Amino acid sequence: DLGPRSRVAYKNLIFRARAEVVNMEIPEDRFISDFPGYIFFTEKNHGGNLENVIIIKPGNGTNATVTIRAPRGKMEPDPANKRINLNLFDARSVSSNGSRTTIGSTPELVLDFNPNTFTNQIYKPKISDMTFWQLSETLNDLEQKVSLPQTNQAASPKKKRAAARQQIDWTEPIRVEMHRQVAFSFACFGFTLVGIPLGIRVHRRETNIGVAIALALVMVYYSFMLVGESLSLRPEFAPHLIFWLPNFIFQAVGAVLLWRANRGI
């Protein structure tokens, strides 16, 4: 009696340990394609409690391409069946095979995986830790793996819009980071154009005023950065373009201030 019980407990312990490893290997803010047939992305992972989950199931000649998005999810091991269950809450899905598009939603969707099929061998950096060229390569690689078919022309306009939004969600985080890096590189020009005329106007003794103006400019600039990053999973707002707004605003205001300072206004 003790022998079989011990063997079962041992195997369950090994499975739970493997499940914990798999859970840790699905980190936040990364695209994971190490489970055969799926591509994962989750914005946050708190001990298996996931936030803003996107799952892509690429299609082939016979199967449809499926995109699933859920605001919340949870990974739970199932020792009895030696599987790992991924519970998605308030999930929305779009299935398209070129001739037909199906849109669905469910309050809870359960996907199960075999931890033995996990094939990750190389550490994948977070999107925010990638270089611009790494981001570009990752974007191209994902687009090649997931060739999303066109929405059925016979579908209603509402269904077409919903399918289009669902299908482009998974690439927006990478696009946001690429634009953030490039836009941030041009921030020095905007700060210089604004800082020179303001420095001329502020007298040397008015140090506190100069520090306050500098802090205000930094807060304004980084508020745009925070808004863009917070909307990285909302492509309908074009968050990748938000990063350019402070550059254009600062450079325009700085050009006007320089012109006024040059004319002594």
Side-chain angles (χ1 to χ4, degrees):
D1 180 73
L2 292 177
R5 288 178 181 270
S6 299
R7 285 193 296 272
V8 172
Y10 170 75
K11 291 182 179 180
N12 287 339
L13 181 63
I14 294 298
F15 175 81
R16 288 183 180 276
R18 186 183 295 118
E20 290 297 326
V21 170
V22 172
N23 179 41
M24 291 187 293
E25 294 290 353
I26 302 184
E28 57 190 32
D29 199 26
R30 294 173 175 86
F31 280 95
I32 304 297
S33 56
D34 301 300
F35 280 104
Y38 292 92
I39 297 176
F40 290 87
F41 176 86
T42 179
E43 187 176 20
K44 298 292 182 182
N45 184 353
H46 303 287
N49 296 307
L50 313 179
E51 296 181 12
N52 292 329
V53 184
I54 299 175
I55 298 178
I56 311 294
K57 187 176 182 181
N60 50 37
T62 57
N63 297 328
T65 297
V66 180
T67 61
I68 304 172
R69 182 178 180 182
R72 296 181 298 111
K74 184 174 179 61
M75 296 193 67
E76 295 179 340
D78 183 8
N81 298 313
K82 299 297 186 290
R83 309 285 291 183
I84 295 178
N85 295 329
L86 174 59
N87 300 305
L88 302 177
F89 306 101
D90 300 324
R92 293 179 293 138
S93 64
V94 172
S95 175
S96 180
N97 59 7
S99 61
R100 182 180 180 182
T101 300
T102 304
I103 301 176
S105 61
T106 178
E108 184 173 359
L109 177 65
V110 180
L111 303 176
D112 66 301
F113 304 96
N114 183 352
N116 293 323
T117 62
F118 192 72
T119 60
N120 184 32
Q121 301 294 333
I122 302 175
Y123 168 76
K124 292 181 174 61
K126 295 176 62 175
I127 292 177
S128 58
D129 294 334
M130 290 183 178
T131 65
F132 181 85
W133 302 113
Q134 287 177 327
L135 291 168
S136 179
E137 291 176 0
T138 301
L139 181 60
N140 293 333
D141 181 61
L142 290 174
E143 289 178 342
Q144 291 177 2
K145 288 182 178 179
V146 185
S147 179
L148 295 177
Q150 298 294 326
T151 305
N152 182 17
Q153 297 299 322
S156 64
K158 182 178 180 180
K159 181 179 290 188
K160 289 181 180 179
R161 290 193 298 268
R165 286 197 302 268
Q166 185 81 351
Q167 290 176 347
I168 65 176
D169 278 351
W170 59 284
T171 59
E172 191 64 20
I174 295 180
R175 190 174 291 106
V176 164
E177 181 61 23
M178 294 174 68
H179 281 262
R180 187 194 70 81
Q181 290 186 5
V182 178
F184 189 75
S185 300
F186 287 91
C188 55
F189 295 104
F191 280 105
T192 301
L193 288 175
V194 173
I196 290 176
L198 290 179
I200 295 174
R201 289 175 176 270
V202 177
H203 296 288
R204 184 176 300 176
R205 295 181 179 179
E206 299 173 346
T207 305
N208 294 335
I209 297 178
V211 172
I213 293 176
L215 292 176
L217 293 175
V218 171
M219 291 178 62
V220 170
Y221 186 88
Y222 278 99
S223 65
F224 283 93
M225 299 291 104
L226 294 175
V227 170
E229 291 176 357
S230 64
L231 297 176
S232 62
L233 293 178
R234 302 292 300 275
E236 62 269 23
F237 296 115
H240 57 280
L241 299 180
I242 295 177
F243 297 105
W244 294 99
L245 290 179
N247 288 341
F248 294 146
I249 294 174
F250 278 37
Q251 292 178 18
V253 172
V256 172
L257 292 177
L258 280 175
W259 177 80
R260 290 171 60 90
N262 187 48
R263 296 177 61 90
I265 301 177

